[in-house]
Amino acid sequence: MKKFTYFSKMKKKLLTLLIIFACSLALHAQTDLFPHQKQKWVDSVFSTLSLDQKIGQVLMPRANSNPTYDTTRLFSIVRDYHIGGLVFFAGYPTQQAKIVNLLQAQSKVPLFIGMDLEWGLNMRLDSTVRYPYQMTLGAMQGNESLIEKMGYQIALQCKRMGVHINYAPVVDINNNPNNPVINFRSFGENRELVTQKSLAYMRGLQKGGILTSAKHFPGHGDTSTDSHYDIPVLAHNKNRLDSLELYPYKKLIENGLQGVMVGHLNLPALDTTASLASTLSKPIVKGLLRDELQFKGLVFTDAMDMKGATKNFPEGTANVKAFLAGNDILETFVDVPAAFNAIKKAIVNKEITEEELDFRVKRILHAKAWAGLDQYKAIQIDHLIEDLNPLNAESLNKTLAEKTITLLKNPQGLLPIQKLDTLKIATLAIGKPNYGGKFPTAFQKTAENYVEMSHFYLDETSNDSTIIATEKALNQFNLVLMGIHGISIRPANNYNLKAANKSLVDRFVNSKTIVMHFANAMTLTKFDSLHKAAALLTTYQEGISQMEVAAEAIFGGIGFQGKFPVTLNAQYKFGQGFLTSSLGRLRYQHIPEEVGINGTFLQKKIDSLAHLAINEKATPGIVVWIAKEGKVVFHKAYGKQTYESKEALEKSSIYDLASITKISTSVPALMKWQDEGKFSLEQNWSNLIPDLQNSNKANLKYIDILTHQAKLKAWIPFWMDYIDSLDMVIHSKKFQEKYAKESFGMNLWEKYINKTAGENHIKQWIAKQPKIWEEVVDLKNEVTRW
C-alpha cells in the first residue's frame, strides 16, 4: 500500500513537471511575439504578486474620462482589486491623461490602458485625428503601405496618450449588407482584400509599439444580430469557416499577430452547446484558436457586459467561463467585485488551477514589458492636444481620401468636367452636414476655386416655398452638383436618414445632376432615383478631406481611383468603379508639408513681409498664392483694395497681371544663376547685357531694377514710330490680299514690323530712352525757356 502511494505521488510529481515543462516551452514560443521585453523584469514583478494581485492582472474593466463620470470607482478598484488595466471609452484627452497618471501612480504593477481606436483616437476622444473608416479604406486599390503608415501614426498618437492596446483591426469579412454592427467597420467582403489591409494596419500599429487585437474571432461579418443585445448565430459549417471567416486570422497569425479579441457568437459547427457564446467556449478559444491555429499572443474577450456574453449567465459566472475557455484578459465590464470573487472562488474550488493563472499572468507581464511598461513614464500634459494632431496626419488623411473616392456611374463620360466655359454650374447641398462644418460646405468652397458658381441649400426644415424657389432657380443652370449630407455612419435608426431629405434627393435628381454621396455606402440603396443622375460618386463617409477631394476629382485635379468594396444589390456590386485620369488642373486646400515645405515657417514669413509692405505704404493690399507640384499650399489676402478704400481684399480679388511677366520670366533664371555663382543683385545691368554698356543705363543695379527703384520708363510704345507707314500698309491692296485673313497679333509683328525694325533696332530704342528724372529735367528746361 505504501509502495503504491509512493509511486502514485511520484507519478503526480512527474506529471506536474511535464506540465510545467510544456508550459515553459509554450511560454517561450509565445514570447517570440514580444522580442524586446525583459525577462528579469517579468520574473521580479511576478515573484512579488499575491494570489489576489495575480487575479487582478487578468481584469481590464470599463473606464471613462467624461467629466460626468464618477472616477472615484476607478481608484477603489485599482486599490482593492489590483486590476491589470482599464479599457477607456468616451472622454477628453487631457482629462483622461490626468486620470491615468493618478491611477498608474497608485497601481503596484503598471496598468494596461486599452481602447477601441479602429479609426484612431477620435473614435473615443474629442480634439483628436479621425482617420478613414475601414470600409472607406476597402475602396483603395493596393497602396497598403498607406494603411501601414496610418497604423503607425495611430500608434504614435496612442503612445503619446498613454494607450498600450488598440482593439483593431476589424478583420471580419462583411458579406452581409444587413449586418447591424460590423457594417462600415469592415474592409469589405473579399477575404484577400480584408487580409492584406488588416496585415498593413497590424504592421503599422505593432511597428509603433502598440499591441493589436484583431477582432471579432472567429468572424462577425455574416451576422444580422448585434452581439451587444443578443447572441448572433453563425450557422456555417467548418469548411466554410476555414475558407472565409478564419482566413484573415490564419494569415495575420503567420505574420506575428500579437492579440485576438474573441466575439460573442454562437457557432454550432465548432461548439454544439446551445446558445453558448464563442467567448465562453473552450473548443473555440483553446481548441481552435490556441491549438489548431497555434496562436501564441494575448487573447482578449469582447466586452463582458454585452448581452452576447451575459444573456445566459451572471457577469461573474460569465467571466469564469471565459477564463476557463482560454481567454487571457477579461475586459470591459463594470462589476469588478463580482468578477474578482468568482475567479477567486473557482481557484479555491480547484476549478481553475494556480498554474493556469500563473501562466496567463506571465504572458500578460511579457506583453506589458514589450509595450514599454517595464520603464513606465507618466503622460506629459503640456502640448498634449497639439501633439495628438500632427500635420502629417492631415496630409495622410487627404491622400487616403484621394485614393478611395469612387465613381459609380458616369454613362456619358461627363466626369471629369473638361469644358468649363460651356457650363453654368450650381451646387445643391441637401441635409445638414454632420462633420462639424457649416454652409458653404468644404465641397462648395473647393469647387468654387475652379469656376464661378451659385450655391443652394435644402434640408428637412425647408418649407414648400423655399423648395419651389430653389427648383425654379436651378432651371437656369445646365449642371447641378448635388451633395447628400447628414446621414449617420451607423445603421441604427435607419442611419438617421430623414424622410424629408430622402424625398428632396429623389425630387432633384435628373439628367443634369451629378450626385456626391457623402455617407456610409450602405445607404445608397435608400434612394430610389440615383440611377437618373448624370454621374454618381461616393466617398463612404462625410469629412472635410472627402468633400475637398470630391471637388478635385469632379474638376480633374485628381482622378477617381476607388472600387466598391462590398455588394449591396445588382446596382452596387463589389469591384464597381470607373477609373479616370487627372486633367492636370490645380488641387486646392492642401498644406505646405505635403510638398516638403514647413507651413508654420512659411506663414510666419509671408505674414511678416505682407504686413511690412502694407505698413510701409508699398502697397495697399496683397493676395499671396503659392502652388507647388500641382497643389495650392498657400492662399491668403492682406490689406485693402486701395489706400482710401475700407473694403478688405479677398482671396478671389482679380488683378491685372500685365507686368508680372517681367518678374516671373526673368527672376527664376536670375535665381538659378545666383545659386551657380554667376549673378549678384549688386551687379550692373551692362554686366549681363553688353549692348547697354554705353547707355545711360549701364550702371543701374539689378537690385534697383527688380524693386522698381531704377527710374526706368514703364513702357515704350514702339508701334508709334510706325503709325503712318503701318496705316498706309494695312490699307494697301497688296497687304489685304496677303494678310487679310490672318490675325493682327504676332503674325503682323513677325511678317511686317520685325522685318523692318529687327531686334537690333529695338535694343537701340531701349538704350536711347531717357530715365524718368531726365525727362523731368527736360520738362523744367522747356518751362524755363517759355
Side-chain angles (χ1 to χ4, degrees):
M1 186 69 180
K2 288 183 179 179
K3 187 176 181 181
F4 177 79
T5 304
Y6 172 78
F7 281 112
S8 179
K9 288 181 179 178
M10 287 295 292
K11 188 176 181 181
K12 285 183 179 178
K13 286 183 179 179
L14 181 60
L15 184 60
T16 302
L17 287 171
L18 287 172
I19 291 171
I20 292 171
F21 179 67
C23 289
S24 298
L25 288 176
L27 184 61
H28 176 72
Q30 70 88 14
T31 55
D32 290 342
L33 293 174
F34 310 112
H36 302 296
Q37 79 286 38
K38 298 176 182 177
Q39 185 70 43
K40 184 178 179 180
W41 181 84
V42 172
D43 292 340
S44 65
V45 172
F46 181 80
S47 66
T48 67
L49 299 180
S50 66
L51 176 61
D52 284 1
Q53 290 166 340
K54 291 176 184 177
I55 294 172
Q57 285 301 301
V58 305
L59 304 179
M60 286 186 67
R62 180 184 291 269
N64 202 312
S65 62
N66 191 304
T68 61
Y69 186 77
D70 181 14
T71 57
T72 57
R73 164 185 161 270
L74 302 179
F75 293 96
S76 66
I77 60 177
V78 169
R79 180 186 65 248
D80 299 335
Y81 296 98
H82 323 289
I83 59 171
L86 289 160
V87 181
F88 273 85
F89 285 79
Y92 306 100
T94 303
Q95 181 76 5
Q96 179 170 311
K98 290 177 179 178
I99 292 170
V100 168
N101 282 346
L102 292 172
L103 292 169
Q104 292 281 23
Q106 181 178 305
S107 180
K108 176 182 177 180
V109 180
L111 297 165
F112 257 153
I113 302 300
M115 298 185 77
D116 286 297
L117 303 172
E118 296 162 21
W119 51 88
L121 293 179
N122 192 260
M123 182 171 174
R124 297 298 185 209
L125 299 172
D126 80 335
S127 306
T128 52
V129 179
R130 179 186 294 271
Y131 291 92
Y133 302 124
Q134 288 191 197
M135 176 178 282
T136 307
L137 296 172
M140 184 164 61
Q141 302 304 292
N143 293 292
E144 274 76 29
S145 61
L146 293 175
I147 298 178
E148 182 174 342
K149 187 176 181 181
M150 180 192 79
Y152 184 69
Q153 285 189 5
I154 292 173
L156 296 183
Q157 292 159 31
C158 286
K159 283 282 191 183
R160 183 66 179 87
M161 194 60 222
V163 174
H164 314 105
I165 305 165
N166 184 359
Y167 299 113
V170 173
V171 302
D172 301 315
I173 298 171
N174 190 24
N175 49 13
N176 185 340
N178 297 316
N179 194 313
V181 63
I182 302 305
N183 199 279
F184 68 97
R185 298 165 64 195
S186 166
F187 285 116
E189 70 174 41
N190 179 273
R191 71 174 196 171
E192 297 293 344
L193 178 149
V194 169
T195 300
Q196 292 306 313
K197 295 183 186 302
S198 296
L199 274 169
Y201 194 0
M202 178 197 82
R203 283 194 296 265
L205 287 172
Q206 294 181 180
K207 179 181 176 183
I210 295 299
L211 288 159
T212 52
S213 181
K215 59 188 183 185
H216 305 79
F217 185 83
H220 208 326
D222 193 8
T223 61
S224 54
T225 302
D226 187 343
S227 52
H228 290 84
Y229 308 108
D230 206 341
I231 306 177
V233 177
L234 201 61
H236 302 301
N237 62 35
K238 183 65 162 54
N239 288 337
R240 151 64 191 260
L241 295 172
D242 278 338
S243 63
L244 192 66
E245 277 79 7
L246 294 175
Y247 183 82
Y249 289 99
K250 294 175 184 177
K251 296 299 181 182
L252 266 65
I253 289 170
E254 289 172 5
N255 285 274
L257 176 65
Q258 294 175 325
V260 169
M261 177 186 285
V262 182
H264 303 312
L265 313 161
N266 180 250
L267 294 94
L270 302 178
D271 190 332
T272 57
T273 308
S275 301
L276 184 70
S278 48
T279 332
L280 316 182
S281 168
K282 193 169 185 177
I284 292 176
V285 180
K286 186 180 184 305
L288 176 60
L289 181 58
R290 287 291 190 202
D291 298 340
E292 185 176 331
L293 299 185
Q294 290 292 295
F295 177 64
K296 306 300 181 184
L298 286 176
V299 180
F300 301 86
T301 67
D302 203 345
M304 290 303 292
D305 55 7
M306 292 165 62
K307 289 296 182 183
T310 63
K311 181 179 180 180
N312 299 317
F313 303 98
E315 200 169 273
T317 304
N319 277 295
V320 171
K321 285 186 169 292
F323 187 89
L324 288 169
N327 295 280
D328 295 307
I329 294 181
L330 316 173
E331 56 105 336
T332 314
F333 55 92
V334 176
D335 195 346
V336 177
F340 180 91
N341 292 328
I343 292 172
K344 188 168 184 178
K345 182 180 178 181
I347 293 172
V348 171
N349 293 337
K350 307 298 183 183
E351 190 179 355
I352 297 173
T353 67
E354 282 200 53
E355 288 79 12
E356 286 179 287
L357 178 63
D358 289 352
F359 185 72
R360 310 279 177 87
V361 172
K362 286 185 178 180
R363 179 184 279 142
I364 292 167
L365 292 176
H366 274 290
K368 284 188 173 184
W370 181 89
L373 284 171
D374 62 322
Q375 299 179 21
Y376 166 75
K377 293 181 181 178
I379 306 165
Q380 296 299 310
I381 305 299
D382 293 344
H383 307 295
L384 180 61
I385 301 301
E386 180 183 347
D387 293 344
L388 294 178
N389 291 273
L391 285 172
N392 60 358
E394 183 180 346
S395 176
L396 178 59
N397 257 332
K398 194 68 174 283
T399 301
L400 292 171
E402 292 171 359
K403 301 294 184 183
T404 55
I405 185 171
T406 305
L407 182 57
L408 294 171
K409 176 181 170 63
N410 193 30
Q412 306 302 320
L414 177 61
L415 296 183
I417 300 172
Q418 300 192 41
K419 298 180 179 180
L420 297 179
D421 58 336
T422 65
L423 297 170
K424 187 177 182 183
I425 301 175
T427 71
L428 172 61
I430 295 182
K432 297 174 182 176
N434 60 18
Y435 67 102
K438 56 185 179 180
F439 296 116
T441 65
F443 170 81
Q444 291 168 324
K445 289 177 182 178
T446 306
E448 63 189 11
N449 285 301
Y450 292 99
V451 66
E452 185 178 352
M453 59 183 65
S454 299
H455 304 307
F456 299 87
Y457 317 96
L458 295 171
D459 59 44
E460 67 274 14
T461 65
S462 301
N463 56 40
D464 288 347
S465 60
T466 302
I467 295 170
I468 292 170
T470 302
E471 202 166 30
K472 183 178 180 181
L474 290 177
N475 287 334
Q476 303 172 30
F477 298 87
N478 53 15
L479 184 63
V480 177
L481 310 178
M482 179 198 292
I484 301 175
H485 302 271
I487 299 175
S488 171
I489 195 71
R490 301 182 183 278
N493 300 317
N494 195 34
Y495 298 91
N496 197 34
L497 174 59
K498 304 290 191 299
N501 289 338
K502 177 186 179 303
S503 297
L504 285 170
V505 170
D506 291 336
R507 177 171 180 168
F508 280 88
V509 173
N510 55 49
S511 59
K512 67 174 186 179
T513 309
I514 293 173
V515 176
M516 294 84 65
H517 180 258
F518 301 119
N520 185 330
M522 299 293 186
T523 63
L524 283 163
T525 58
K526 304 294 181 181
F527 302 96
D528 301 324
S529 57
L530 296 183
H531 64 281
K532 299 177 183 177
L536 170 65
L537 63 94
T538 184
T539 60
Y540 303 95
Q541 62 187 90
E542 186 169 28
I544 292 175
S545 292
Q546 281 73 29
M547 292 188 184
E548 290 173 347
V549 302
E552 291 181 343
I554 286 172
F555 288 98
I558 61 171
F560 287 93
Q561 302 179 54
K563 293 278 190 178
F564 211 55
V566 292
T567 296
L568 305 184
N569 55 25
Q571 191 175 356
Y572 305 109
K573 298 179 181 179
F574 172 80
Q576 184 176 340
F578 296 94
L579 306 183
T580 67
S581 299
S582 164
L583 297 179
R585 292 193 179 120
L586 287 168
R587 299 153 63 188
Y588 295 85
Q589 318 298 351
H590 288 264
I591 60 175
E593 281 71 14
E594 292 182 54
V595 292
I597 299 173
N598 184 316
T600 303
F601 177 81
L602 182 69
Q603 174 139 343
K604 183 179 178 181
K605 287 295 184 182
I606 293 176
D607 285 354
S608 176
L609 288 170
H611 292 310
L612 177 64
I614 292 169
N615 292 337
E616 293 295 323
K617 300 292 185 181
T619 179
I622 302 169
V623 175
V624 181
W625 184 95
I626 300 174
K628 184 183 179 187
E629 297 173 16
K631 298 177 181 179
V632 177
V633 297
F634 191 95
H635 194 189
K636 189 174 179 179
Y638 305 84
K640 298 179 173 60
Q641 291 187 0
T642 66
Y643 289 113
E644 297 78 19
S645 172
K646 294 183 179 180
E647 187 175 353
L649 272 175
E650 296 182 359
K651 291 191 293 185
S652 58
S653 296
I654 297 174
Y655 283 79
D656 175 8
L657 301 181
S659 297
I660 293 297
T661 52
K662 290 185 290 188
I663 304 300
S664 63
T665 55
S666 60
V667 168
L670 296 177
M671 290 169 67
K672 185 175 187 297
W673 285 346
Q674 180 166 298
D675 288 343
E676 295 172 351
K678 300 176 181 178
F679 170 75
S680 167
L681 287 169
E682 297 298 325
Q683 277 184 301
N684 293 334
W685 206 357
S686 58
N687 291 139
L688 293 181
I689 306 177
D691 291 338
L692 298 176
Q693 186 69 49
N694 299 317
S695 74
N696 58 359
K697 302 168 186 64
N699 297 322
L700 291 179
K701 294 184 180 299
Y702 275 94
I703 191 169
D704 293 325
I705 296 168
L706 294 174
T707 54
H708 288 255
Q709 298 180 113
K711 298 184 174 62
L712 293 170
K713 292 184 68 172
W715 71 298
I716 303 172
F718 297 114
W719 64 275
M720 293 286 289
D721 283 20
Y722 283 87
I723 190 155
D724 291 337
S725 59
L726 185 60
D727 182 67
M728 188 167 55
V729 168
I730 288 174
H731 288 89
S732 72
K733 184 177 180 181
K734 181 180 179 183
F735 181 90
Q736 290 178 7
E737 289 176 352
K738 189 172 183 181
Y739 301 121
K741 294 182 181 180
E742 298 183 18
S743 71
F744 285 81
M746 285 301 298
N747 286 344
L748 183 60
W749 165 260
E750 291 292 339
K751 295 175 181 177
Y752 181 70
I753 297 179
N754 194 36
K755 288 181 179 179
T756 57
E759 183 180 346
N760 291 332
H761 197 175
I762 299 298
K763 288 180 180 178
Q764 292 172 17
W765 270 337
I766 294 172
K768 291 177 181 178
Q769 290 298 315
K771 289 186 282 186
I772 293 174
W773 67 270
E774 292 172 337
E775 290 185 328
V776 172
V777 170
D778 290 343
L779 181 60
K780 285 183 179 179
N781 292 334
E782 285 292 322
V783 171
T784 301
R785 280 196 298 273
W786 277 93

